[in-house]
Amino acid sequence: MGIKQTVPDTRLAAEATDFVRQATSDLIYHHSRRVYFWGVLQGRERDLSFDPELLYLGAMFHDLGLNEEHRGSGRRFEVDGADAARRFLRERGVPEDSVRRVWTAIALHTTPGIPEYMEPEVALVTAGVEYDVLGLGYYDLTDEQRAEVTTLHPRPGFKQAILRAFTEGIAPKPETTFGNVKADVLERYVPGFQRGNFVDTILDSPWPE
């Protein structure tokens, strides 16, 4: 079976594809599809049993929180994307356990060290993101596998483009980067940004001692 044929042939998956295609940029759409395919391939490598539809939904919605309409929310973009997916799924009568898995997969996809120990769909959304953005586990897959996916969804200039997308999506709410990897993005690209410091937060708390 070619990798393209692993996309679930369901009405829900088709509606999710259409929704994300219309709601976001070409950059995020192609990135999200690659995240799904990398997740599938990593799942096979790890011999994990997963629900392809839930993995697809988590992958497709995982960066929707970067959209302009969420930039004034005051919440982490991961939560905005997770909430968007939850609304989409509840409107279509998806069972709550499935909704929870998709929400969790999206909300935790930039929190390394935790998703890998959770449900396979949660673990594999993060694995797909880490593969596409960071190149983690790059050599776990073959040249042929990488070529098949990137032929379907090319990544010209992806590194700089995704960093711009992160910056544009998060710079309006810099406080949401406290304690997470996106502080690195703003520190590099937003003049005057100062990351929150966990130690200072403890020492400056209102507790007398």
Side-chain angles (χ1 to χ4, degrees), residues 33-190:
R33 293 270 290 191
R34 290 195 305 272
V35 165
Y36 169 73
F37 291 132
W38 303 137
V40 168
L41 293 169
Q42 296 256 11
R44 291 175 180 174
E45 287 293 312
R46 301 176 189 185
D47 198 26
L48 295 178
S49 177
F50 58 91
D51 184 324
E53 187 174 61
L54 297 185
L55 176 57
Y56 187 73
L57 293 163
M60 292 306 291
F61 277 86
H62 85 277
D63 269 348
L64 214 67
L66 294 172
N67 282 5
E68 188 171 357
E69 65 265 26
H70 300 299
R71 294 175 188 174
S73 72
R75 297 176 301 185
R76 284 178 59 157
F77 87 96
E78 303 94 322
V79 173
D80 286 328
D83 283 353
R86 181 164 58 192
R87 286 191 297 272
F88 177 89
L89 297 177
R90 283 180 172 172
E91 287 169 0
R92 288 157 179 79
V94 174
E96 279 300 311
D97 181 66
S98 296
V99 173
R100 178 190 58 78
R101 287 194 189 208
V102 173
W103 192 96
T104 304
I106 298 168
L108 290 181
H109 82 266
T110 63
T111 305
I114 295 175
E116 63 192 281
Y117 299 106
M118 300 184 71
E119 295 97 331
E121 299 83 12
V122 177
L124 293 175
V125 167
T126 292
V129 170
E130 291 178 341
Y131 196 91
D132 204 51
V133 178
L134 304 174
L136 298 186
Y138 185 81
Y139 295 106
D140 293 343
L141 304 182
T142 66
D143 292 344
E144 291 76 17
Q145 288 171 317
R146 286 191 294 274
E148 184 180 9
V149 173
T150 56
T151 297
L152 289 172
H153 296 285
R155 37 178 295 149
F158 176 72
K159 291 180 180 181
Q160 292 300 321
I162 196 65
L163 285 168
R164 283 194 299 273
F166 290 154
T167 304
E168 291 167 0
I170 300 164
K173 44 183 180 181
E175 70 283 355
T176 66
T177 65
F178 178 70
N180 71 67
V181 295
K182 291 301 187 285
D184 295 340
V185 176
L186 299 193
E187 188 172 61
R188 178 70 63 91
Y189 296 108
V190 177

